[in-house]
Amino acid sequence: MTDDTTNSTTDTTADTTTTVLADPLTLPCGEVLANRIAKAGMSEQLATRAGIPTAGLHRLYATWARSGAGLLITGNIMINRDGLVEPRNAILDNDHALTAFTAWADAAKHCGTAVWMQINHPGRVATVPFTRRPVAPSPTREPVPGYNLRTPRELTGRRIQALIHDFARTAHLAVAAGFDGIQIHAAHGFLLSQFLSPLANTRDDDYGRTPAGRRRALLETVAAVREAVGPAVPVSVKLNSKDFQYGGLSEAESLDVAAALADAGIDLLEITGGNYAEPAMEGVHHTPHQGPYFAGYATKVRHRVDVPLMLTGGLRTRTTMERLVAGGAVDIVGIARPMAFVPDYPARILADEPEPLLPAPPRPTGYRPLDGYVQLAAHNHQFHRIATGRTPQTRAGLGTVLHAVGKLTAAAAGQAVLPR
């Protein structure tokens, strides 16, 4: 194993063979993406304890800027300091550290690719001990160890409005810092996903009770973000196809949410699925031969609405990506975990090179929440290698991954009390 720097990443100016994946895409707002491959959002955990982007985060995105992807979507950016998804999340709730975010955007865009900021609030899955008083649509705990030490406080109507304002403020600041677009995270069991779930949202007011009530917080967030960034900035939403939990968001209800989002004028809908209890986004409900994880749902959305679609999960081969885009099922294919190990994966796909071999995932334990967490940790470990100028590992054992996670968590312990 070598520790060479990542500067050998394929240059995106290299010639590509003819492929529909190289076609540009014009979004409803008028923004043009250079091609049909995007790096999907993955949590980097490379900010300071105060939530400020670090030089390592800049270096990671400078590497991905040369990846060949037409779009880079960041990982979780927190809209306030009341809750963190993980330690070392970046937080953009004021303009005090805007220059660090501008440097991040500049690093990601220096080869001409677009970069969008994914904005989020964890709600009841805020990680302890980094959040003292988690909040949620209803006072019910996440049924996964590590997230259920505190019963969340039920949000009042006034507090919901304040959080919607926070989403809009972060979106405005992101654009001011130089990010090209916004993605609102409404999947994977985070706050807006909790509002959509009948299992997590048992409210008896206008933000619950009915399917229309459960999607109200998301739609009001979309409207507030659009007003904050204007009509020419792309606004995207990341949405679960379903929660994969009995009593959670169903596919039928998710289709109604997708239709409402199209009516609200979003520019791109990214399709995913699952949450911490059932991490379908990590592939735990699929086997390798099944291909893209949520392609069936994408086809149903396409038949229902005309909003541009992005599909993420289980996409590995050029043949599959071309089939989905050329056939009209989706407009953009999202690549996430492969880019932790092969940062220029999109460029290789576009150049019709053989698909790079990826390391096998850690051996499953049979407990899906733990298996999902270990997979996330394995990829996050590679981000931290790239951030320090080293190449990703082709193989990292479970012991190595857990040791790295322990060091990161211990180093971040001071983030339990964040400065305001």
Side-chain angles (χ1 to χ4, degrees):
M1 185 63 57
T2 65
D3 281 344
D4 298 331
T5 65
T6 56
N7 292 335
S8 61
T9 303
T10 300
D11 192 328
T12 59
T13 60
D15 291 337
T16 60
T17 57
T18 302
T19 171
V20 68
L21 299 175
D23 291 346
L25 174 66
T26 302
L27 299 173
C29 66
E31 182 79 10
V32 179
L33 300 179
N35 61 49
R36 304 303 183 94
I37 303 180
K39 181 205 78 69
M42 296 176 284
S43 186
E44 307 92 359
Q45 296 180 248
L46 282 165
T48 68
R49 293 178 179 178
I52 301 171
T54 62
L57 187 55
H58 302 164
R59 187 178 295 112
L60 174 63
Y61 274 80
T63 300
W64 279 333
R66 303 187 297 272
S67 69
L71 171 63
L72 304 177
I73 302 176
T74 73
N76 292 307
I77 310 302
M78 299 294 97
I79 61 168
N80 62 37
R81 295 163 195 271
D82 293 341
L84 298 176
V85 176
E86 303 103 351
R88 303 281 187 171
N89 283 147
I91 307 168
L92 184 54
D93 59 354
N94 57 56
D95 61 1
H96 297 169
L98 207 60
T99 55
F101 284 91
T102 298
W104 181 10
D106 289 345
K109 298 197 297 183
H110 81 269
C111 289
T113 192
V115 58
W116 295 0
M117 180 180 287
Q118 182 187 88
I119 60 178
N120 194 12
H121 189 286
R124 70 180 188 175
V125 296
T127 307
V128 295
F130 305 108
T131 302
R132 289 174 172 169
R133 303 182 68 187
V135 296
S138 301
T140 57
R141 298 177 180 180
E142 171 64 37
V144 177
Y147 301 101
N148 61 357
L149 299 183
R150 299 182 180 95
T151 299
R153 291 174 296 146
E154 181 174 274
L155 290 162
T156 64
R158 179 177 295 181
R159 182 64 180 133
I160 292 170
Q161 289 298 309
L163 286 170
I164 291 170
H165 173 268
D166 290 348
F167 272 100
R169 177 188 58 196
T170 297
H172 172 78
L173 290 168
V175 174
F179 288 83
D180 300 301
I182 301 298
Q183 182 178 79
I184 301 166
H185 203 326
H188 298 173
F190 299 124
L191 180 64
L192 292 174
S193 178
Q194 293 161 29
F195 271 102
L196 295 174
S197 167
L199 193 62
N201 181 356
T202 58
R203 301 176 69 94
D204 194 30
D205 64 3
D206 291 342
Y207 286 101
R209 194 168 46 226
T210 67
R214 287 191 289 272
R215 58 180 176 260
R216 179 181 172 186
L218 172 57
L219 294 176
E220 289 185 354
T221 299
V222 169
V225 167
R226 173 61 75 194
E227 183 177 0
V229 302
V233 174
V235 174
S236 168
V237 171
K238 187 165 189 168
L239 178 70
N240 272 0
S241 56
K242 60 181 179 180
D243 287 347
F244 291 84
Q245 285 177 294
Y246 180 77
L249 180 70
S250 68
E251 187 174 279
E253 192 166 324
S254 179
L255 286 169
D256 290 338
V257 176
L261 290 169
D263 291 341
I266 66 169
D267 295 290
L268 183 69
L269 178 66
E270 182 183 357
I271 295 167
T272 180
N275 49 42
Y276 284 99
E278 293 291 341
M281 64 284 195
E282 296 297 320
V284 300
H285 284 268
H286 301 79
T287 56
H289 71 273
Q290 289 179 301
Y293 299 161
F294 316 107
Y297 173 85
T299 300
K300 295 175 183 178
V301 176
R302 176 61 83 209
H303 289 160
R304 180 116 176 233
V305 301
D306 197 29
V307 66
L309 299 179
M310 172 176 162
L311 179 65
T312 302
L315 290 159
R316 299 292 183 269
T317 68
R318 172 173 163 143
T319 299
T320 299
M321 296 176 193
E322 285 183 324
R323 173 175 55 81
L324 289 167
V325 174
V330 300
D331 301 281
I332 299 177
V333 290
I335 301 178
R337 291 177 293 162
M339 292 182 68
F341 295 96
V342 185
D344 62 347
Y345 204 101
R348 299 189 189 199
I349 292 291
L350 291 169
D352 201 19
E353 296 180 8
E355 286 83 15
L357 293 177
L358 298 172
R363 186 184 300 274
T365 65
Y367 180 51
R368 286 172 176 166
L370 178 59
D371 291 339
Y373 173 77
V374 169
Q375 286 208 41
L376 288 171
H379 299 99
N380 189 264
H381 179 50
Q382 306 311 316
F383 301 158
H384 285 251
R385 289 182 61 86
I386 298 171
T388 56
R390 295 176 292 171
T391 55
Q393 295 170 301
T394 57
R395 181 178 300 276
L398 178 61
T400 299
V401 171
L402 294 180
H403 177 69
V405 171
K407 288 177 61 179
L408 175 66
T409 302
Q415 200 171 24
V417 180
L418 288 169
R420 289 189 176 273

